[in-house]
mmCIF file of all heavy atoms in Angstrom:
data_model
loop_
_atom_site.group_PDB
_atom_site.id
_atom_site.type_symbol
_atom_site.label_atom_id
_atom_site.label_comp_id
_atom_site.label_asym_id
_atom_site.label_seq_id
_atom_site.Cartn_x
_atom_site.Cartn_y
_atom_site.Cartn_z
ATOM 1 N N MET B 1 97.748 126.169 107.869
ATOM 2 C CA MET B 1 98.178 124.778 107.688
ATOM 3 C C MET B 1 99.691 124.649 107.866
ATOM 4 O O MET B 1 100.186 123.594 108.234
ATOM 5 C CB MET B 1 97.772 124.306 106.284
ATOM 6 C CG MET B 1 97.405 122.832 106.247
ATOM 7 S SD MET B 1 96.055 122.480 107.405
ATOM 8 C CE MET B 1 96.191 120.708 107.514
ATOM 9 N N VAL B 63 100.317 107.166 104.241
ATOM 10 C CA VAL B 63 100.635 108.002 103.078
ATOM 11 C C VAL B 63 99.502 108.965 102.785
ATOM 12 O O VAL B 63 99.728 110.148 102.518
ATOM 13 C CB VAL B 63 100.938 107.113 101.858
ATOM 14 C CG1 VAL B 63 101.243 107.962 100.663
ATOM 15 C CG2 VAL B 63 102.103 106.210 102.131
ATOM 16 N N MET B 64 98.247 108.477 102.875
ATOM 17 C CA MET B 64 97.125 109.359 102.552
ATOM 18 C C MET B 64 97.034 110.524 103.531
ATOM 19 O O MET B 64 96.874 111.673 103.133
ATOM 20 C CB MET B 64 95.812 108.589 102.539
ATOM 21 C CG MET B 64 94.660 109.432 102.035
ATOM 22 S SD MET B 64 93.075 108.604 102.119
ATOM 23 C CE MET B 64 92.736 108.695 103.875
ATOM 24 N N TRP B 65 97.182 110.221 104.831
ATOM 25 C CA TRP B 65 97.073 111.306 105.815
ATOM 26 C C TRP B 65 98.225 112.280 105.697
ATOM 27 O O TRP B 65 98.036 113.490 105.822
ATOM 28 C CB TRP B 65 96.985 110.731 107.227
ATOM 29 C CG TRP B 65 95.605 110.303 107.555
ATOM 30 C CD1 TRP B 65 95.029 109.107 107.245
ATOM 31 C CD2 TRP B 65 94.602 111.081 108.199
ATOM 32 N NE1 TRP B 65 93.732 109.097 107.670
ATOM 33 C CE2 TRP B 65 93.439 110.278 108.273
ATOM 34 C CE3 TRP B 65 94.565 112.359 108.740
ATOM 35 C CZ2 TRP B 65 92.257 110.738 108.850
ATOM 36 C CZ3 TRP B 65 93.392 112.806 109.323
ATOM 37 C CH2 TRP B 65 92.251 111.994 109.370
ATOM 38 N N CYS B 66 99.429 111.774 105.448
ATOM 39 C CA CYS B 66 100.573 112.690 105.288
ATOM 40 C C CYS B 66 100.370 113.580 104.074
ATOM 41 O O CYS B 66 100.608 114.786 104.127
ATOM 42 C CB CYS B 66 101.880 111.901 105.147
ATOM 43 S SG CYS B 66 102.415 111.155 106.676
ATOM 44 N N ALA B 67 99.911 112.980 102.964
ATOM 45 C CA ALA B 67 99.683 113.768 101.756
ATOM 46 C C ALA B 67 98.614 114.818 101.993
ATOM 47 O O ALA B 67 98.740 115.972 101.571
ATOM 48 C CB ALA B 67 99.296 112.850 100.596
ATOM 49 N N GLY B 68 97.549 114.419 102.708
ATOM 50 C CA GLY B 68 96.460 115.355 102.963
ATOM 51 C C GLY B 68 96.868 116.488 103.886
ATOM 52 O O GLY B 68 96.466 117.637 103.697
ATOM 53 N N LEU B 69 97.698 116.159 104.885
ATOM 54 C CA LEU B 69 98.100 117.192 105.844
ATOM 55 C C LEU B 69 99.168 118.111 105.271
ATOM 56 O O LEU B 69 99.193 119.299 105.568
ATOM 57 C CB LEU B 69 98.607 116.559 107.136
ATOM 58 C CG LEU B 69 97.554 115.881 108.011
ATOM 59 C CD1 LEU B 69 98.219 115.199 109.194
ATOM 60 C CD2 LEU B 69 96.525 116.885 108.519
ATOM 61 N N CYS B 70 100.069 117.543 104.461
ATOM 62 C CA CYS B 70 101.205 118.341 103.986
ATOM 63 C C CYS B 70 100.873 119.183 102.765
ATOM 64 O O CYS B 70 101.460 120.238 102.571
ATOM 65 C CB CYS B 70 102.388 117.446 103.643
ATOM 66 S SG CYS B 70 103.103 116.732 105.084
ATOM 67 N N LEU B 71 99.974 118.692 101.913
ATOM 68 C CA LEU B 71 99.752 119.453 100.689
ATOM 69 C C LEU B 71 98.320 119.946 100.632
ATOM 70 O O LEU B 71 98.060 121.127 100.798
ATOM 71 C CB LEU B 71 100.102 118.600 99.476
ATOM 72 C CG LEU B 71 100.367 119.388 98.206
ATOM 73 C CD1 LEU B 71 101.461 120.403 98.437
ATOM 74 C CD2 LEU B 71 100.739 118.469 97.085
ATOM 75 N N ARG B 72 97.383 119.024 100.416
ATOM 76 C CA ARG B 72 95.996 119.450 100.291
ATOM 77 C C ARG B 72 95.137 118.224 100.380
ATOM 78 O O ARG B 72 95.490 117.166 99.863
ATOM 79 C CB ARG B 72 95.788 120.134 98.943
ATOM 80 C CG ARG B 72 94.839 121.289 99.053
ATOM 81 C CD ARG B 72 94.602 121.880 97.723
ATOM 82 N NE ARG B 72 93.475 122.807 97.795
ATOM 83 C CZ ARG B 72 92.882 123.276 96.716
ATOM 84 N NH1 ARG B 72 93.309 122.902 95.538
ATOM 85 N NH2 ARG B 72 91.850 124.095 96.823
ATOM 86 N N GLN B 73 93.964 118.352 101.013
ATOM 87 C CA GLN B 73 93.219 117.147 101.289
ATOM 88 C C GLN B 73 92.391 116.634 100.120
ATOM 89 O O GLN B 73 92.225 115.421 99.981
ATOM 90 C CB GLN B 73 92.333 117.337 102.517
ATOM 91 C CG GLN B 73 91.267 118.368 102.370
ATOM 92 C CD GLN B 73 90.268 118.260 103.516
ATOM 93 O OE1 GLN B 73 90.201 117.235 104.179
ATOM 94 N NE2 GLN B 73 89.513 119.300 103.739
ATOM 95 N N ALA B 76 94.257 114.187 97.822
ATOM 96 C CA ALA B 76 94.634 113.022 98.621
ATOM 97 C C ALA B 76 93.422 112.126 98.858
ATOM 98 O O ALA B 76 93.501 110.898 98.713
ATOM 99 C CB ALA B 76 95.228 113.464 99.956
ATOM 100 N N LEU B 115 100.459 109.281 95.959
ATOM 101 C CA LEU B 115 100.323 109.873 97.300
ATOM 102 C C LEU B 115 101.688 110.163 97.908
ATOM 103 O O LEU B 115 101.894 111.190 98.560
ATOM 104 C CB LEU B 115 99.524 108.940 98.208
ATOM 105 C CG LEU B 115 98.019 108.892 97.960
ATOM 106 C CD1 LEU B 115 97.390 107.749 98.718
ATOM 107 C CD2 LEU B 115 97.368 110.197 98.380
ATOM 108 N N MET B 118 103.005 113.233 96.427
ATOM 109 C CA MET B 118 102.353 114.400 97.031
ATOM 110 C C MET B 118 103.008 114.782 98.347
ATOM 111 O O MET B 118 103.232 115.960 98.627
ATOM 112 C CB MET B 118 100.875 114.102 97.291
ATOM 113 C CG MET B 118 99.955 114.436 96.161
ATOM 114 S SD MET B 118 98.235 114.161 96.645
ATOM 115 C CE MET B 118 97.964 115.528 97.780
ATOM 116 N N CYS B 119 103.314 113.770 99.176
ATOM 117 C CA CYS B 119 103.982 114.038 100.451
ATOM 118 C C CYS B 119 105.316 114.714 100.213
ATOM 119 O O CYS B 119 105.639 115.721 100.858
ATOM 120 C CB CYS B 119 104.258 112.742 101.204
ATOM 121 S SG CYS B 119 102.807 111.877 101.730
ATOM 122 N N ASN C 7 90.193 120.855 108.001
ATOM 123 C CA ASN C 7 91.333 120.443 107.189
ATOM 124 C C ASN C 7 91.433 118.943 106.973
ATOM 125 O O ASN C 7 92.270 118.493 106.203
ATOM 126 C CB ASN C 7 92.629 120.942 107.836
ATOM 127 C CG ASN C 7 92.829 122.416 107.575
ATOM 128 O OD1 ASN C 7 92.743 122.859 106.438
ATOM 129 N ND2 ASN C 7 93.053 123.173 108.629
ATOM 130 N N LEU C 11 89.601 113.482 104.425
ATOM 131 C CA LEU C 11 90.441 112.329 104.770
ATOM 132 C C LEU C 11 89.693 111.389 105.702
ATOM 133 O O LEU C 11 89.766 110.166 105.565
ATOM 134 C CB LEU C 11 91.730 112.802 105.440
ATOM 135 C CG LEU C 11 92.621 113.723 104.606
ATOM 136 C CD1 LEU C 11 93.768 114.221 105.448
ATOM 137 C CD2 LEU C 11 93.143 112.993 103.394
#
Side-chain angles (χ1 to χ4, degrees):
Chain B
M1 214 58 196
V63 179
M64 187 184 75
W65 278 84
C66 287
L69 290 175
C70 290
L71 200 56
R72 217 183 168 193
Q73 64 168 341
L115 285 169
M118 270 185 72
C119 294
Chain C
N7 283 310
L11 300 174

